[in-house]
Amino acid sequence: MKIRLAVLVSGRGSNLQAIHRAIGNKVFDGEIVLVLADNPGAAALGFCADNGIPSKYIHPGDFKTKLEGAAEQAYIAALRAAAPDLIVLAGFMRVVKPPLIRAFENRIINIHPSLLPKYPGLHTHARALEAGDRETGCTVHFVNEVIDGGKRIMQARVPIRPGDTEASLSARVLKVEHQVLPAVIKMFADGKIDYKTFPAEPMIFSAK
Ligand code: GRF
């Protein structure tokens, strides 16, 4: 099926670009029907404007790190109107709450730059370096009420090299994110992922 995607972003939007590229390369049959940003200055909005992708900044309300109340309802209404099959949080720096999660039950995924359950939340690369870890990675997971705690769908491992900095490591992980996210969306488009039957352990991504 042609999967209808809504993407929520806050900034740069490189994962959004990776999704757009994958559609262009026919990795899967899909359409980005709406991009919502909580930041009017998000570079992702410029990318949408340049590429004819419907996008909108919606004021996220009074809280810095979560989406609640009237603002949340505005996001829900915009998403409902776009009728997405899947909502992708791609660098959306805000916690989504039960009303939005329930409105699109088991149809919201997030990409997170760590091997969850390790390092939920922010500053994942700095924390991995500080801990002396020898590998890290990224995880695509279902979104539920627990921050970065929903059922994991796919993970990719990325080595940490001697001399790595937060910048070098995040660049290495980001490259892999750009492969893993489209790979997961392809599986949704192919009808291969169903929350209820999905196993407790995630799939492991291996680059082709
Ligand atoms: C990515 O590292 C993603 O894993 C995290 O936020 C970053 C967003 O980057 N959730 P971009 O906006 O997609 O370039």
Side-chain angles (χ1 to χ4, degrees):
M1 74 167 184
K2 183 169 196 153
I3 190 165
R4 296 173 63 81
L5 302 169
V7 185
L8 268 58
V9 296
S10 295
R12 181 176 52 187
S14 70
N15 278 291
L16 167 71
Q17 292 189 31
I19 296 168
H20 182 258
R21 207 160 42 235
I23 293 171
N25 291 339
K26 303 198 185 309
V27 172
F28 57 85
D29 189 15
E31 184 182 351
I32 301 172
V33 294
L34 181 64
V35 171
L36 291 181
D38 65 349
N39 162 19
L45 289 173
F47 176 78
C48 291
D50 292 346
N51 289 277
I53 301 168
S55 67
K56 208 175 186 177
Y57 157 68
I58 301 184
H59 193 290
D62 295 334
F63 301 103
K64 274 217 167 80
T65 57
K66 61 183 178 181
L67 194 58
E68 247 181 16
E72 179 182 43
Q73 291 306 325
Y75 276 76
I76 293 173
L79 288 167
R80 280 213 171 104
D85 299 307
L86 187 68
I87 298 173
V88 184
L89 309 188
F92 188 62
M93 303 308 285
R94 222 165 253 281
V95 177
V96 293
K97 295 287 185 179
L100 195 146
I101 294 169
R102 284 194 208 113
F104 304 96
E105 193 93 57
N106 302 332
R107 286 190 288 142
I108 311 177
I109 61 171
N110 179 45
I111 177 133
H112 181 77
S114 80
L115 293 173
L116 291 171
K118 255 191 165 181
Y119 312 131
L122 298 175
H123 310 301
T124 55
H125 303 307
R127 287 151 74 197
L129 288 169
E130 183 138 325
D133 293 354
R134 298 179 59 182
E135 66 169 9
T136 184
C138 60
T139 306
V140 176
H141 64 92
F142 285 103
V143 172
N144 68 6
E145 283 80 359
V146 182
I147 296 175
D148 299 321
K151 214 188 250 189
R152 296 164 302 159
I153 300 169
M154 194 182 280
Q155 289 191 318
R157 298 178 184 285
V158 174
I160 296 179
R161 302 209 175 109
D164 259 338
T165 61
E166 210 179 327
S168 65
L169 186 55
S170 79
R172 190 176 310 125
V173 174
L174 195 63
K175 266 192 173 173
V176 179
E177 290 183 38
H178 296 161
Q179 301 171 55
V180 176
L181 190 53
V184 170
I185 296 171
K186 176 178 168 46
M187 294 193 71
F188 274 97
D190 292 346
K192 288 189 178 149
I193 298 182
D194 174 26
Y195 178 83
K196 294 200 180 71
T197 55
F198 199 82
E201 288 305 312
M203 296 177 284
I204 303 297
F205 176 81
S206 53
K208 289 200 187 93

